[in-house]
Amino acid sequence: MSIITILLPIFFVFGVGYVAQRFLQLETKVLSRLALYVLVPILVFRTFYEQEIDSSYGYLSLYMLGLCFTLIAIVSILSKIYRFTESERCGLVLSSAFMNNGNYGTPLILFLFGTVAMETAIVLMVLQQLLMSTLGVYYAAKGSPDHDGFKAALNAVRRMPMVYGAIVGLLFQYFNVPLGTIAGGIDLIADAAIPVIMVTLGMQLRNITVKSIDWRKLSTALSLKLMIAPVIATGIVLLMPVDTMTKQIMIIMAATPTAANTTMYAIQFQTEPQNVSSATLVSTLSSLVTMPVVIYLATTLM
């Protein structure tokens, strides 16, 4: 199966969400909250309940932290060179340091490698959500003069249902709690999570309005997110004793577009919302060109 035939079904689902929102004008926050607070936590619960925890989880955590903090460091250096304000620096962090491995990356890995790779993809999704709900909220709030970044990040963590799903799944596994007949119901809800979050991303993209573009900031964000990030990821994973498929997944995930949630944070705290929104929209469209290259290199050179 060619890379393009893998990407087309994904963008078809995004397109369905985009067109549906164009004509139906649905309240995307409702659908997003349904996915965030119900579907995805149950998907995460099932994953952590069924899969044994091993050393690879630690390596995945180190990878996520290393990639995120390296990108933030690069943004800080570029911000000094470009003489960006603190708000502009924080907006660039939101645009380039957080990957969309939920709406985009996890379905992509499913199409590429099948269900055997979903454990790794979902663990990365949980770790990314944790980073976005801490560092992402921190930088969004820090870029706004009206909010305390540290306090806002703590409040966001307490409202993270995905993490609670992981914790409950681990506890159920550790104490060997049987699910009985409700396992079928859990499977139904968990299997619905990926299609719903994909449609939701399409709807969110339709709601993004780009009035004016700062091309220097946008080009910087796109370069960091779509090109520099997978290079950094490659350098990190080469040092890790994990299997080849896991390395490929980590590199491909790093090349996914700007996370859609960062747009919501930017709007909420008024931290460069126009630039962050532009990065989310344009990076998603641009990934049609960049992602096949990354997938080809990751799957042939690793």
Side-chain angles (χ1 to χ4, degrees), residues 105-300:
T106 302
L108 176 61
I109 296 304
L110 177 62
F111 275 90
L112 273 173
F113 300 103
T115 55
V116 67
M118 284 300 288
E119 175 195 351
T120 300
I122 291 172
V123 171
L124 287 173
M125 180 173 66
V126 172
L127 293 173
Q128 175 66 16
Q129 183 65 29
L130 182 59
L131 279 175
M132 279 197 297
S133 296
T134 51
L135 282 175
V137 172
Y138 172 78
Y139 278 101
K142 189 178 182 181
S144 171
D146 302 324
H147 293 86
D148 179 354
F150 183 73
K151 182 178 179 181
L154 286 179
N155 289 334
V157 172
R158 288 199 294 265
R159 298 192 299 268
M160 276 180 39
M162 194 182 297
V163 173
Y164 293 125
I167 292 172
V168 174
L170 288 172
L171 289 174
F172 272 47
Q173 181 193 117
Y174 181 78
F175 291 106
N176 198 25
V177 178
L179 298 180
T181 56
I182 68 168
I186 290 174
D187 287 338
L188 285 173
I189 297 174
D191 291 341
I194 299 299
V196 171
I197 62 176
M198 292 173 70
V199 172
T200 302
L201 175 61
M203 297 171 68
Q204 290 171 333
L205 293 175
R206 176 65 182 85
N207 290 339
I208 292 176
T209 56
V210 179
K211 298 178 182 177
S212 60
I213 295 177
D214 187 319
W215 289 105
R216 183 169 67 171
K217 293 177 186 175
L218 178 60
S219 61
T220 301
L222 293 180
S223 298
L224 287 171
K225 188 69 216 66
L226 300 179
M227 292 182 283
I228 303 301
V231 173
I232 296 171
T234 302
I236 294 173
V237 303
L238 286 176
L239 302 174
M240 292 185 171
V242 295
D243 62 86
T244 299
M245 186 178 71
T246 299
K247 290 181 179 180
Q248 293 170 345
I249 292 171
M250 294 157 83
I251 294 170
I252 292 168
M253 283 286 208
T256 56
T258 302
N261 283 357
T262 59
T263 297
M264 293 187 290
Y265 294 153
I267 293 172
Q268 178 183 348
F269 294 102
Q270 286 301 296
T271 302
E272 297 282 297
Q274 192 62 34
N275 290 322
V276 178
S277 298
S278 300
T280 301
L281 178 60
V282 178
S283 66
T284 302
L285 297 176
S286 300
S287 68
L288 267 173
V289 176
T290 60
M291 186 57 75
V293 177
V294 173
I295 292 173
Y296 174 78
L297 292 176
T299 54
T300 56

